[in-house]
Amino acid sequence: MANRLLRLALLTAIFGSAYAEPSTNCAPSNAESLQRPGVPTLRWDEDDCADFNEDDKREIEALSDAILVPDRWRIVSALGYPENLLDPYNNNNWLKGDRPVFGEDWFVNLIGIADLIYEPRNFPIPVGNATTQSAGDLNLIGEGDTTVIAGNLILEGVVYKGNTTFKPPDYEFRLTPVINYNILDANERAVTRADPNEGTHRTDNHVGVQAAFVDYHIRNVSDRYDFDSIRVGIQPFNADFRGFLFNDQQFGVRLFGIRDNNKIQYNLAWFRRIEKDTNSGLNDLSQGLRDDDVFAINAYWQDWPSLGYFSQLSLVHNRNREADQTLFDNNGFIARPASLGVEVPRDYDVTYLGYNGDGHFDRLNITVSAYYAFGDESQGTFTNDPSDISAYFLAAELGFDQDWVRWRFSFLHASGDDDPFDNDAKGFDAIFENPLFAGADTSYWIRQTVPLIGGGRVTLSGRNGILNSLRSSKEQGQSNFTNPGITLLGVGNDLDVTPTTRISFNFNHLWFADTTVLEAARNQGEIATDIGFDLSVSAIYRPLAMQNIVGRLSAAYLIPGEGFEDLYGTKQAPFSILANLTLTY
């Protein structure tokens, strides 16, 4: 019995009273304080420890002195495991928050990510006598081949205080600079720069700050660590589960917390948008803040209406006051106002009411999103009169698993404007979309920028966007609610062929919701609504079965529909290939 009691008492001394011997109630009376420095010896309750003689106690004290640790984070060190700062997982590493750096509970977490991209692609490019590389070619559509090579080095440093196992940190300080270098090669002039004399090759670099905030834990409101916290600075924010409305890193203030044992989560936030760098898409603090504010209130209800399902209600308001501004981007193209219609700067106020749901009902995984946008703008896109905004957005994705295969069925519809010359703007547009939907950036239409040729220097669909918003750019342009909208039906599947390899297929059919705006912009007769079929395939390989090394190769192909042919006069199918390697420490 003495050996068993010896073992249990030693465990009690190190890990706490949960290991005390139940039959004798024998435990050091100062066991909890042994997890903190400054207590050199064990104290015993003589009545409860009658089965221990003096030799047993001296042996326990000798063993506890050999492996006693000042706090629970240093147990690994006390057991003799070496420290390896180059290994983020398998060894004791204070750079990854494995133990305090100073004080009792101040931690550091350093993260480094190298994100490398090689991307050949093809999309329609307009040409003219002044810019074309093919002087004898009379076509309006030039050689659309371009190649992007880009690299992002993301360095993130976090300093935080507190035991974060069951509750958020008391304080958190986070800084995330990103260093970008990018190269663009094109087959036509006036693609890399507005000035055709700049040629067909461009190199650029930029350093952006994607996070720089302070997070303060205001209070706990229950014994289950329901809490209120506030975060101030440049911070990430996603207004919904799939990034349909506002998914960005912007300067702001956010009050957030949870209630009812984490069943209710809430956000109250204000953001002032930062200007973006043209070619990297990163924040550009040198250009300052835009006169564009986003106010967001949302609440998440976990396990409603069913266990395993999240529901979210959102109220988001976008206030834009850039009617007195004209902005040309770093390549010399006009960004504000958009080169479309009357091309006059404008202000707008738009409010989004939304419901979003994500989770599962039994085996069926369901994501839904619905928004209604309303408000007004000081200037119509095609008129000189103010316009009333009234538009809507619907999306749903259903999925279910069959062993190692997941099937996905997608639907999305964003309303289009049926009369660009009246005082009603009915085309839905987001604030800053980054959708994770229907294949995401594997899809051709979502990944690539598709320009509108002959009706203005705007894009049908922007890079990493699904909406046909006719903006100059997602990063530097304004929202545009006079647009043709979009409808998408898609099917896809994910095949986990091994624990380290996933292959995905996506097949989407795309339509314009209404082509009246396109016909007015192009001064063209009837344009069909059928955009075409977007086919894509991707392979993801994680050799370590974790996210530290991730390689991805994808290909996408757009089979033009009648509407695409009406716009571009060609049946040539555009394509894109993406090779991506991500290394994370």
PDB file of all heavy atoms in Angstrom, residues 9 12-13 16-17 20 25-36 39 41-49 57 60-61:
ATOM      1  N   ALA A   9       0.424  10.312  -3.888  1.00  0.00           N
ATOM      2  CA  ALA A   9       0.783  11.544  -3.194  1.00  0.00           C
ATOM      3  C   ALA A   9       1.706  12.403  -4.044  1.00  0.00           C
ATOM      4  O   ALA A   9       1.613  13.634  -4.060  1.00  0.00           O
ATOM      5  CB  ALA A   9       1.441  11.220  -1.854  1.00  0.00           C
ATOM      6  N   THR A  12      -0.306  14.008  -6.646  1.00  0.00           N
ATOM      7  CA  THR A  12      -1.066  15.080  -6.030  1.00  0.00           C
ATOM      8  C   THR A  12      -0.210  16.325  -5.845  1.00  0.00           C
ATOM      9  O   THR A  12      -0.642  17.452  -6.081  1.00  0.00           O
ATOM     10  CB  THR A  12      -1.615  14.623  -4.671  1.00  0.00           C
ATOM     11  OG1 THR A  12      -2.458  13.499  -4.888  1.00  0.00           O
ATOM     12  CG2 THR A  12      -2.399  15.730  -4.001  1.00  0.00           C
ATOM     13  N   ALA A  13       1.020  16.118  -5.443  1.00  0.00           N
ATOM     14  CA  ALA A  13       1.902  17.260  -5.218  1.00  0.00           C
ATOM     15  C   ALA A  13       2.145  18.054  -6.485  1.00  0.00           C
ATOM     16  O   ALA A  13       2.255  19.275  -6.458  1.00  0.00           O
ATOM     17  CB  ALA A  13       3.241  16.763  -4.655  1.00  0.00           C
ATOM     18  N   GLY A  16      -2.172  18.508  -8.349  1.00  0.00           N
ATOM     19  CA  GLY A  16      -3.319  19.018  -7.614  1.00  0.00           C
ATOM     20  C   GLY A  16      -4.073  17.931  -6.889  1.00  0.00           C
ATOM     21  O   GLY A  16      -3.827  16.736  -7.013  1.00  0.00           O
ATOM     22  N   SER A  17      -5.083  18.347  -6.091  1.00  0.00           N
ATOM     23  CA  SER A  17      -5.760  17.455  -5.167  1.00  0.00           C
ATOM     24  C   SER A  17      -6.649  16.432  -5.860  1.00  0.00           C
ATOM     25  O   SER A  17      -7.154  15.521  -5.217  1.00  0.00           O
ATOM     26  CB  SER A  17      -6.623  18.277  -4.206  1.00  0.00           C
ATOM     27  OG  SER A  17      -7.549  19.067  -4.938  1.00  0.00           O
ATOM     28  N   ALA A  20      -5.568  12.852  -5.084  1.00  0.00           N
ATOM     29  CA  ALA A  20      -5.443  12.381  -3.706  1.00  0.00           C
ATOM     30  C   ALA A  20      -6.029  10.979  -3.561  1.00  0.00           C
ATOM     31  O   ALA A  20      -6.972  10.611  -4.252  1.00  0.00           O
ATOM     32  CB  ALA A  20      -6.164  13.330  -2.755  1.00  0.00           C
ATOM     33  N   ASN A  25      -7.745   9.957   2.050  1.00  0.00           N
ATOM     34  CA  ASN A  25      -7.816  11.416   1.997  1.00  0.00           C
ATOM     35  C   ASN A  25      -6.469  12.067   2.280  1.00  0.00           C
ATOM     36  O   ASN A  25      -6.393  13.200   2.760  1.00  0.00           O
ATOM     37  CB  ASN A  25      -8.852  11.963   2.990  1.00  0.00           C
ATOM     38  CG  ASN A  25     -10.258  11.552   2.619  1.00  0.00           C
ATOM     39  OD1 ASN A  25     -10.605  11.543   1.442  1.00  0.00           O
ATOM     40  ND2 ASN A  25     -11.040  11.196   3.613  1.00  0.00           N
ATOM     41  N   CYS A  26      -5.414  11.330   2.018  1.00  0.00           N
ATOM     42  CA  CYS A  26      -4.083  11.858   2.292  1.00  0.00           C
ATOM     43  C   CYS A  26      -3.584  12.645   1.094  1.00  0.00           C
ATOM     44  O   CYS A  26      -3.524  12.122  -0.017  1.00  0.00           O
ATOM     45  CB  CYS A  26      -3.119  10.710   2.612  1.00  0.00           C
ATOM     46  SG  CYS A  26      -1.442  11.298   2.957  1.00  0.00           S
ATOM     47  N   ALA A  27      -3.253  13.890   1.321  1.00  0.00           N
ATOM     48  CA  ALA A  27      -2.679  14.744   0.280  1.00  0.00           C
ATOM     49  C   ALA A  27      -1.932  15.867   0.959  1.00  0.00           C
ATOM     50  O   ALA A  27      -2.287  16.281   2.069  1.00  0.00           O
ATOM     51  CB  ALA A  27      -3.766  15.306  -0.626  1.00  0.00           C
ATOM     52  N   PRO A  28      -0.890  16.350   0.366  1.00  0.00           N
ATOM     53  CA  PRO A  28      -0.227  17.519   0.927  1.00  0.00           C
ATOM     54  C   PRO A  28      -1.205  18.680   1.029  1.00  0.00           C
ATOM     55  O   PRO A  28      -1.922  18.971   0.066  1.00  0.00           O
ATOM     56  CB  PRO A  28       0.900  17.810  -0.069  1.00  0.00           C
ATOM     57  CG  PRO A  28       1.108  16.525  -0.811  1.00  0.00           C
ATOM     58  CD  PRO A  28      -0.227  15.883  -0.868  1.00  0.00           C
ATOM     59  N   SER A  29      -1.289  19.341   2.143  1.00  0.00           N
ATOM     60  CA  SER A  29      -2.253  20.419   2.322  1.00  0.00           C
ATOM     61  C   SER A  29      -1.914  21.648   1.493  1.00  0.00           C
ATOM     62  O   SER A  29      -2.761  22.506   1.284  1.00  0.00           O
ATOM     63  CB  SER A  29      -2.329  20.801   3.808  1.00  0.00           C
ATOM     64  OG  SER A  29      -1.049  21.231   4.262  1.00  0.00           O
ATOM     65  N   ASN A  30      -0.686  21.749   1.014  1.00  0.00           N
ATOM     66  CA  ASN A  30      -0.287  22.885   0.173  1.00  0.00           C
ATOM     67  C   ASN A  30      -0.057  22.441  -1.269  1.00  0.00           C
ATOM     68  O   ASN A  30       0.751  22.998  -1.978  1.00  0.00           O
ATOM     69  CB  ASN A  30       0.967  23.550   0.720  1.00  0.00           C
ATOM     70  CG  ASN A  30       2.145  22.578   0.793  1.00  0.00           C
ATOM     71  OD1 ASN A  30       1.949  21.371   0.841  1.00  0.00           O
ATOM     72  ND2 ASN A  30       3.361  23.112   0.794  1.00  0.00           N
ATOM     73  N   ALA A  31      -0.812  21.393  -1.748  1.00  0.00           N
ATOM     74  CA  ALA A  31      -0.561  20.841  -3.078  1.00  0.00           C
ATOM     75  C   ALA A  31      -0.785  21.863  -4.182  1.00  0.00           C
ATOM     76  O   ALA A  31      -0.010  21.943  -5.129  1.00  0.00           O
ATOM     77  CB  ALA A  31      -1.471  19.634  -3.312  1.00  0.00           C
ATOM     78  N   GLU A  32      -1.867  22.686  -4.061  1.00  0.00           N
ATOM     79  CA  GLU A  32      -2.136  23.641  -5.133  1.00  0.00           C
ATOM     80  C   GLU A  32      -1.041  24.696  -5.227  1.00  0.00           C
ATOM     81  O   GLU A  32      -0.680  25.141  -6.316  1.00  0.00           O
ATOM     82  CB  GLU A  32      -3.487  24.310  -4.904  1.00  0.00           C
ATOM     83  CG  GLU A  32      -4.659  23.343  -5.048  1.00  0.00           C
ATOM     84  CD  GLU A  32      -5.987  24.039  -4.889  1.00  0.00           C
ATOM     85  OE1 GLU A  32      -5.979  25.271  -4.651  1.00  0.00           O
ATOM     86  OE2 GLU A  32      -7.030  23.364  -5.001  1.00  0.00           O
ATOM     87  N   SER A  33      -0.477  25.097  -4.099  1.00  0.00           N
ATOM     88  CA  SER A  33       0.565  26.126  -4.136  1.00  0.00           C
ATOM     89  C   SER A  33       1.871  25.604  -4.710  1.00  0.00           C
ATOM     90  O   SER A  33       2.738  26.383  -5.082  1.00  0.00           O
ATOM     91  CB  SER A  33       0.813  26.678  -2.725  1.00  0.00           C
ATOM     92  OG  SER A  33       1.332  25.658  -1.885  1.00  0.00           O
ATOM     93  N   LEU A  34       2.008  24.267  -4.811  1.00  0.00           N
ATOM     94  CA  LEU A  34       3.235  23.724  -5.403  1.00  0.00           C
ATOM     95  C   LEU A  34       3.326  24.019  -6.892  1.00  0.00           C
ATOM     96  O   LEU A  34       4.370  23.848  -7.491  1.00  0.00           O
ATOM     97  CB  LEU A  34       3.291  22.220  -5.166  1.00  0.00           C
ATOM     98  CG  LEU A  34       3.486  21.796  -3.710  1.00  0.00           C
ATOM     99  CD1 LEU A  34       3.385  20.290  -3.597  1.00  0.00           C
ATOM    100  CD2 LEU A  34       4.811  22.289  -3.174  1.00  0.00           C
ATOM    101  N   GLN A  35       2.205  24.446  -7.511  1.00  0.00           N
ATOM    102  CA  GLN A  35       2.249  24.821  -8.916  1.00  0.00           C
ATOM    103  C   GLN A  35       2.815  26.230  -9.094  1.00  0.00           C
ATOM    104  O   GLN A  35       2.949  26.708 -10.214  1.00  0.00           O
ATOM    105  CB  GLN A  35       0.843  24.750  -9.519  1.00  0.00           C
ATOM    106  CG  GLN A  35       0.246  23.356  -9.453  1.00  0.00           C
ATOM    107  CD  GLN A  35      -1.182  23.335  -9.930  1.00  0.00           C
ATOM    108  OE1 GLN A  35      -1.601  24.213 -10.665  1.00  0.00           O
ATOM    109  NE2 GLN A  35      -1.945  22.336  -9.520  1.00  0.00           N
ATOM    110  N   ARG A  36       3.133  26.888  -7.989  1.00  0.00           N
ATOM    111  CA  ARG A  36       3.690  28.237  -8.061  1.00  0.00           C
ATOM    112  C   ARG A  36       5.031  28.243  -7.325  1.00  0.00           C
ATOM    113  O   ARG A  36       5.266  27.442  -6.412  1.00  0.00           O
ATOM    114  CB  ARG A  36       2.733  29.243  -7.403  1.00  0.00           C
ATOM    115  CG  ARG A  36       1.361  29.278  -8.040  1.00  0.00           C
ATOM    116  CD  ARG A  36       0.530  30.413  -7.463  1.00  0.00           C
ATOM    117  NE  ARG A  36       0.283  30.235  -6.032  1.00  0.00           N
ATOM    118  CZ  ARG A  36      -0.731  29.553  -5.538  1.00  0.00           C
ATOM    119  NH1 ARG A  36      -1.577  28.960  -6.357  1.00  0.00           N
ATOM    120  NH2 ARG A  36      -0.914  29.441  -4.245  1.00  0.00           N
ATOM    121  N   VAL A  39       7.387  27.794  -2.586  1.00  0.00           N
ATOM    122  CA  VAL A  39       7.002  26.859  -1.530  1.00  0.00           C
ATOM    123  C   VAL A  39       7.983  25.697  -1.562  1.00  0.00           C
ATOM    124  O   VAL A  39       7.911  24.845  -2.426  1.00  0.00           O
ATOM    125  CB  VAL A  39       5.562  26.357  -1.720  1.00  0.00           C
ATOM    126  CG1 VAL A  39       5.188  25.395  -0.592  1.00  0.00           C
ATOM    127  CG2 VAL A  39       4.600  27.528  -1.764  1.00  0.00           C
ATOM    128  N   THR A  41       8.710  23.070   0.631  1.00  0.00           N
ATOM    129  CA  THR A  41       8.472  21.746   1.210  1.00  0.00           C
ATOM    130  C   THR A  41       6.984  21.438   1.214  1.00  0.00           C
ATOM    131  O   THR A  41       6.135  22.312   1.051  1.00  0.00           O
ATOM    132  CB  THR A  41       8.990  21.696   2.659  1.00  0.00           C
ATOM    133  OG1 THR A  41       8.330  22.702   3.427  1.00  0.00           O
ATOM    134  CG2 THR A  41      10.492  21.941   2.702  1.00  0.00           C
ATOM    135  N   LEU A  42       6.684  20.136   1.440  1.00  0.00           N
ATOM    136  CA  LEU A  42       5.307  19.692   1.526  1.00  0.00           C
ATOM    137  C   LEU A  42       4.826  19.745   2.969  1.00  0.00           C
ATOM    138  O   LEU A  42       5.591  19.521   3.904  1.00  0.00           O
ATOM    139  CB  LEU A  42       5.187  18.251   1.014  1.00  0.00           C
ATOM    140  CG  LEU A  42       5.724  17.968  -0.398  1.00  0.00           C
ATOM    141  CD1 LEU A  42       5.536  16.492  -0.708  1.00  0.00           C
ATOM    142  CD2 LEU A  42       5.023  18.816  -1.424  1.00  0.00           C
ATOM    143  N   ARG A  43       3.523  20.044   3.148  1.00  0.00           N
ATOM    144  CA  ARG A  43       2.922  20.011   4.488  1.00  0.00           C
ATOM    145  C   ARG A  43       1.839  18.949   4.484  1.00  0.00           C
ATOM    146  O   ARG A  43       1.054  18.843   3.545  1.00  0.00           O
ATOM    147  CB  ARG A  43       2.339  21.385   4.856  1.00  0.00           C
ATOM    148  CG  ARG A  43       3.397  22.480   4.989  1.00  0.00           C
ATOM    149  CD  ARG A  43       2.796  23.700   5.703  1.00  0.00           C
ATOM    150  NE  ARG A  43       1.678  24.282   4.958  1.00  0.00           N
ATOM    151  CZ  ARG A  43       1.822  25.232   4.047  1.00  0.00           C
ATOM    152  NH1 ARG A  43       3.031  25.709   3.767  1.00  0.00           N
ATOM    153  NH2 ARG A  43       0.763  25.713   3.415  1.00  0.00           N
ATOM    154  N   TRP A  44       1.769  18.170   5.586  1.00  0.00           N
ATOM    155  CA  TRP A  44       0.893  17.007   5.645  1.00  0.00           C
ATOM    156  C   TRP A  44      -0.132  17.158   6.759  1.00  0.00           C
ATOM    157  O   TRP A  44       0.140  17.716   7.816  1.00  0.00           O
ATOM    158  CB  TRP A  44       1.693  15.733   5.889  1.00  0.00           C
ATOM    159  CG  TRP A  44       2.758  15.497   4.847  1.00  0.00           C
ATOM    160  CD1 TRP A  44       4.044  15.930   4.884  1.00  0.00           C
ATOM    161  CD2 TRP A  44       2.587  14.810   3.613  1.00  0.00           C
ATOM    162  NE1 TRP A  44       4.714  15.543   3.762  1.00  0.00           N
ATOM    163  CE2 TRP A  44       3.838  14.842   2.958  1.00  0.00           C
ATOM    164  CE3 TRP A  44       1.527  14.149   3.007  1.00  0.00           C
ATOM    165  CZ2 TRP A  44       4.046  14.267   1.715  1.00  0.00           C
ATOM    166  CZ3 TRP A  44       1.742  13.562   1.785  1.00  0.00           C
ATOM    167  CH2 TRP A  44       2.979  13.620   1.140  1.00  0.00           C
ATOM    168  N   ASP A  45      -1.328  16.612   6.524  1.00  0.00           N
ATOM    169  CA  ASP A  45      -2.351  16.543   7.559  1.00  0.00           C
ATOM    170  C   ASP A  45      -2.120  15.241   8.325  1.00  0.00           C
ATOM    171  O   ASP A  45      -2.278  14.145   7.773  1.00  0.00           O
ATOM    172  CB  ASP A  45      -3.750  16.556   6.914  1.00  0.00           C
ATOM    173  CG  ASP A  45      -4.847  16.670   7.967  1.00  0.00           C
ATOM    174  OD1 ASP A  45      -4.836  15.866   8.911  1.00  0.00           O
ATOM    175  OD2 ASP A  45      -5.710  17.554   7.820  1.00  0.00           O
ATOM    176  N   GLU A  46      -1.766  15.360   9.607  1.00  0.00           N
ATOM    177  CA  GLU A  46      -1.370  14.181  10.387  1.00  0.00           C
ATOM    178  C   GLU A  46      -2.518  13.193  10.542  1.00  0.00           C
ATOM    179  O   GLU A  46      -2.308  11.975  10.556  1.00  0.00           O
ATOM    180  CB  GLU A  46      -0.859  14.613  11.773  1.00  0.00           C
ATOM    181  CG  GLU A  46       0.415  15.438  11.727  1.00  0.00           C
ATOM    182  CD  GLU A  46       1.581  14.659  11.146  1.00  0.00           C
ATOM    183  OE1 GLU A  46       1.552  13.415  11.222  1.00  0.00           O
ATOM    184  OE2 GLU A  46       2.498  15.285  10.578  1.00  0.00           O
ATOM    185  N   ASP A  47      -3.757  13.678  10.662  1.00  0.00           N
ATOM    186  CA  ASP A  47      -4.875  12.760  10.862  1.00  0.00           C
ATOM    187  C   ASP A  47      -5.175  11.954   9.599  1.00  0.00           C
ATOM    188  O   ASP A  47      -5.429  10.744   9.661  1.00  0.00           O
ATOM    189  CB  ASP A  47      -6.130  13.528  11.293  1.00  0.00           C
ATOM    190  CG  ASP A  47      -5.958  14.163  12.664  1.00  0.00           C
ATOM    191  OD1 ASP A  47      -5.176  13.617  13.461  1.00  0.00           O
ATOM    192  OD2 ASP A  47      -6.599  15.210  12.912  1.00  0.00           O
ATOM    193  N   ASP A  48      -5.167  12.601   8.429  1.00  0.00           N
ATOM    194  CA  ASP A  48      -5.499  11.906   7.188  1.00  0.00           C
ATOM    195  C   ASP A  48      -4.362  11.044   6.670  1.00  0.00           C
ATOM    196  O   ASP A  48      -4.575  10.159   5.838  1.00  0.00           O
ATOM    197  CB  ASP A  48      -5.891  12.912   6.098  1.00  0.00           C
ATOM    198  CG  ASP A  48      -7.209  13.593   6.396  1.00  0.00           C
ATOM    199  OD1 ASP A  48      -8.023  12.996   7.129  1.00  0.00           O
ATOM    200  OD2 ASP A  48      -7.435  14.719   5.878  1.00  0.00           O
ATOM    201  N   CYS A  49      -3.138  11.295   7.123  1.00  0.00           N
ATOM    202  CA  CYS A  49      -1.978  10.593   6.578  1.00  0.00           C
ATOM    203  C   CYS A  49      -1.368   9.640   7.605  1.00  0.00           C
ATOM    204  O   CYS A  49      -0.145   9.469   7.680  1.00  0.00           O
ATOM    205  CB  CYS A  49      -0.928  11.590   6.099  1.00  0.00           C
ATOM    206  SG  CYS A  49      -1.512  12.669   4.776  1.00  0.00           S
ATOM    207  N   LYS A  57       7.207   9.826   3.990  1.00  0.00           N
ATOM    208  CA  LYS A  57       7.088  11.268   3.735  1.00  0.00           C
ATOM    209  C   LYS A  57       8.393  11.838   3.204  1.00  0.00           C
ATOM    210  O   LYS A  57       8.408  12.658   2.287  1.00  0.00           O
ATOM    211  CB  LYS A  57       6.665  11.987   5.021  1.00  0.00           C
ATOM    212  CG  LYS A  57       5.266  11.626   5.490  1.00  0.00           C
ATOM    213  CD  LYS A  57       4.945  12.326   6.805  1.00  0.00           C
ATOM    214  CE  LYS A  57       3.569  11.913   7.311  1.00  0.00           C
ATOM    215  NZ  LYS A  57       3.246  12.546   8.612  1.00  0.00           N
ATOM    216  N   ILE A  60       8.764  10.852  -0.436  1.00  0.00           N
ATOM    217  CA  ILE A  60       7.906  11.663  -1.310  1.00  0.00           C
ATOM    218  C   ILE A  60       8.487  13.059  -1.489  1.00  0.00           C
ATOM    219  O   ILE A  60       8.531  13.605  -2.596  1.00  0.00           O
ATOM    220  CB  ILE A  60       6.485  11.747  -0.713  1.00  0.00           C
ATOM    221  CG1 ILE A  60       5.811  10.378  -0.779  1.00  0.00           C
ATOM    222  CG2 ILE A  60       5.650  12.778  -1.456  1.00  0.00           C
ATOM    223  CD1 ILE A  60       4.484  10.325  -0.062  1.00  0.00           C
ATOM    224  N   GLU A  61       8.984  13.647  -0.372  1.00  0.00           N
ATOM    225  CA  GLU A  61       9.556  14.988  -0.462  1.00  0.00           C
ATOM    226  C   GLU A  61      10.797  14.999  -1.335  1.00  0.00           C
ATOM    227  O   GLU A  61      11.029  15.930  -2.114  1.00  0.00           O
ATOM    228  CB  GLU A  61       9.863  15.504   0.940  1.00  0.00           C
ATOM    229  CG  GLU A  61       8.616  15.806   1.751  1.00  0.00           C
ATOM    230  CD  GLU A  61       8.939  16.181   3.183  1.00  0.00           C
ATOM    231  OE1 GLU A  61      10.141  16.154   3.543  1.00  0.00           O
ATOM    232  OE2 GLU A  61       8.006  16.504   3.937  1.00  0.00           O
TER     233      GLU A  61
END
